[in-house]
Amino acid sequence: MIVMRSKSHSLLELYSVFLNYGRKLCLERNPVQVSRTFCSSAMSAICSTISQAQVQSGLQQAKDTAEVLKTWGCSEDDVQKLFSSRPSLRTADLAVLQSKLRTLESLGIRSSDLVRIICCRPRLFSCRINNCFNERIDFFMTMFGSRELLRKAIIRNPSLLTYDFHDRIKPVIAQYEALGISKGDLFSLILSRPTLIPRSSFNDEKMEYICKSGTSKDSKMYKYVVSIVGVSRIETIRRKVANIEKFGFSDHEIWSLFGRCPILLTMSVDRVQRNMTFVVAVMKLPAKVVLDYPFLLLSNLECVLKPRILLGKKIQDMQLFPQIIGPLMLRALRMTEERFCKVFVSCHPKGVAEDLMEFYKNAKKVRRLAEASKKCLHEGFPF
């Protein structure tokens, strides 16, 4: 502590001498107005040096990992969150921990970011993040274009610091670039799909699927089709295609639908099947209506489709207007919750509107039979 005070005191003395000399120069050049820029620059430089000296001294004097993290800027709550996400941090080697914190600090990672990173990747501090570090950072800087975008990408997917650089990162990025994905699009894909790098793989069958989708390289959907097919397993893609084929769709129609709405490839077989069954059996619409209205497969069955259709039938039974029938039915299913209630519920007299709203809310509370006892079978990566 005595050493720290002496360092700070010496720096302040240096600042005082430096400031007086600067004022003297300014007065000699312009006696009327003293430059404030020189003084503020000198003060910020000295304060920054003092702050860095205080942090370094605090890190050197820390007795355990909690003190190291607090010196680095973490609050007591942050430290507890880090320990709960990664209990082995309590017994981590202080020198190694300090080295990794300095590495993260060089990338602009702050203490608040650290909590998000460790909660996302608890094993980060157990991995070596200094392998090919400079080469890795230079590569990402070339791709992302700025240090701030690189910081966002690392916070979103901290494993960018641990993936094998030469055998994984560079080959995958090269594959996507060869397929016509620009560096700007790659950045958005890496942010939206953090598993893009470790999960991507392409073969002849996947390339055939991309061609079947009919999306050109100039299309906005092209990057999503390529990335979703790239991270998906062949068996999963086949199962999802077969699931839709059961409702009378041809292979061309299915891939044309995926090309216009790639997110359908990420939906589970069970969800697509239940929505299709509802559209055909309850709404009495032809199955191929989803080719023109893909939202019927994307909408939540329990919270959107079923409650609104049931409310439409009740409005029809009560002979109220407007009714949710014909072309208006598809429009009603696409409305936001607020607009739907305004158009079909709040437009009626107060007593009727209250009854309809109560019925609508109760319909939204109805869940699948035995849903609470349903076993969740995880097969690894979702698609």
Side-chain angles (χ1 to χ4, degrees), residues 31-54:
V32 179
Q33 184 178 7
V34 179
S35 174
R36 295 181 179 178
T37 305
F38 176 85
C39 302
S40 61
S41 300
M43 186 62 183
S44 61
I46 296 296
C47 289
S48 177
T49 307
I50 293 173
S51 177
Q52 290 177 5
Q54 289 174 340

Side-chain angles (χ1 to χ4, degrees), residues 131-370:
N131 284 342
C132 305
F133 181 76
N134 293 330
E135 189 178 1
R136 185 190 304 262
I137 297 305
D138 291 341
F139 179 81
F140 284 132
M141 281 293 293
T142 303
M143 187 169 69
F144 297 148
S146 73
R147 212 165 188 82
E148 179 60 25
L149 293 180
L150 173 59
R151 187 183 74 87
K152 288 182 180 179
I154 291 174
I155 293 173
R156 177 76 171 126
N157 183 15
S159 295
L160 290 175
L161 296 174
T162 61
Y163 294 143
D164 190 290
F165 180 62
H166 293 288
D167 294 336
R168 195 63 201 165
I169 293 178
K170 293 182 73 174
V172 169
I173 298 300
Q175 278 184 320
Y176 278 99
E177 289 181 342
L179 288 170
I181 307 297
S182 66
K183 291 183 178 180
D185 289 338
L186 270 174
F187 171 71
S188 62
L189 289 175
I190 288 174
L191 285 186
S192 62
R193 303 197 179 282
T195 54
L196 183 78
I197 291 177
R199 301 283 183 177
S200 292
S201 65
F202 293 95
N203 55 23
D204 293 340
E205 188 172 352
K206 285 190 174 184
M207 296 304 298
E208 185 182 354
Y209 289 151
I210 295 173
C211 292
K212 283 182 177 180
S213 67
T215 53
S216 66
K217 293 184 179 181
D218 298 328
S219 172
K220 292 182 179 179
M221 293 293 106
Y222 180 73
K223 61 183 178 182
Y224 300 111
V225 172
V226 173
S227 62
I228 294 175
V229 170
V231 300
S232 301
R233 294 188 293 263
I234 291 290
E235 297 79 8
T236 305
I237 296 176
R238 291 172 184 167
R239 191 163 63 246
K240 291 183 177 181
V241 171
N243 180 52
I244 300 180
E245 279 182 342
K246 293 187 301 185
F247 293 92
F249 294 89
S250 67
D251 190 63
H252 173 73
E253 289 173 331
I254 293 171
W255 282 105
S256 176
L257 178 61
F258 287 157
R260 289 181 287 110
C261 190
I263 197 172
L264 286 174
L265 273 171
T266 68
M267 298 176 60
S268 68
V269 170
D270 178 65
R271 178 171 175 177
V272 172
Q273 184 173 346
R274 294 179 64 243
N275 278 33
M276 282 296 303
T277 303
F278 184 81
V279 168
V280 174
V282 179
M283 296 176 65
K284 306 299 182 182
L285 296 175
K288 293 190 178 182
V289 72
V290 300
L291 296 176
D292 297 320
Y293 302 98
F295 75 89
L296 292 170
L297 298 179
L298 300 175
S299 299
N300 188 288
L301 180 60
E302 281 76 21
C303 296
V304 178
L305 297 182
K306 188 181 292 185
R308 294 187 182 186
I309 293 300
L310 291 176
L311 180 66
K313 290 182 178 180
K314 184 172 181 62
I315 291 175
Q316 195 172 1
D317 292 341
M318 296 174 68
Q319 298 182 348
L320 301 173
F321 293 93
Q323 295 186 356
I324 308 176
I325 55 175
L328 188 58
M329 177 172 60
L330 294 174
R331 286 181 56 194
L333 295 176
R334 298 186 68 174
M335 290 180 180
T336 62
E337 188 73 6
E338 182 180 358
R339 177 164 174 74
F340 177 80
C341 293
K342 181 179 180 180
V343 173
F344 296 104
V345 178
S346 303
C347 62
H348 299 292
K350 184 177 179 180
V352 176
E354 289 177 351
D355 291 340
L356 290 175
M357 182 59 71
E358 184 179 0
F359 175 86
Y360 182 57
K361 288 181 178 179
N362 290 334
K364 293 179 72 172
K365 293 178 182 178
V366 178
R367 292 292 180 262
R368 292 180 64 183
L369 184 63

